[in-house]
Amino acid sequence: MVQLANAGLDASFAALSDATRRGVLEQLGRAEASITDLAEKFNMTLTGMKKHVSVLERAGLVITEKVGRVRTCKIGPRRLENEMAWLERYCQLWDARFDELDKVVEELKRKEQADGRKKRE
């Protein structure tokens, strides 16, 4: 069960790990586009762009529709809730760790100030 849940996260994060794919998502967030249009915008070959779109499609982030000879891409129905929840858990973990680190630093500062006063006396 955990592996299935992680498979979706893995696919999403793998898809988002590439700057071109993130750029494609941004572009599709503004308007639908054909693979040809996307390839031109990103100065890529059609084959290269098809591979990027395929990765995004497998992750559910993009859907494509072929009408005649043109394959049009648009943002998929996934809203990345699972990915956001995963990231939020780590944000909370890091926030807690930084809070503890702040306490340690403050304690060290207090000790340092107290030691400085003792040496002067």
Side-chain angles (χ1 to χ4, degrees), residues 79-104:
R79 300 187 62 115
L80 301 175
E81 286 96 358
N82 292 338
E83 293 77 4
M84 291 301 294
W86 186 87
L87 288 170
E88 183 57 33
R89 284 193 304 273
Y90 278 89
C91 285
Q92 290 171 359
L93 172 80
W94 282 104
D95 284 344
R97 287 183 177 187
F98 283 126
D99 289 345
E100 290 301 314
L101 181 60
D102 285 342
K103 291 175 186 175
V104 169

Side-chain angles (χ1 to χ4, degrees), residues 45-59:
T45 64
L46 282 174
T47 303
M49 183 53 68
K50 284 179 189 176
K51 288 180 181 180
H52 281 296
V53 168
S54 165
V55 171
L56 291 167
E57 200 168 20
R58 282 193 305 272

Side-chain angles (χ1 to χ4, degrees), residues 21-39 41-42 49 53 56 61-64 71-76:
R21 290 192 287 267
R22 290 190 306 272
V24 167
L25 286 175
E26 287 179 29
Q27 182 67 32
L28 295 177
R30 291 189 281 277
E32 296 178 4
S34 69
I35 290 183
T36 302
D37 294 338
L38 291 170
K41 174 152 181 66
F42 289 91
M49 183 53 68
V53 168
L56 291 167
L61 301 173
V62 167
I63 55 175
T64 63
R71 182 168 294 279
T72 302
C73 307
K74 57 185 171 182
I75 292 291

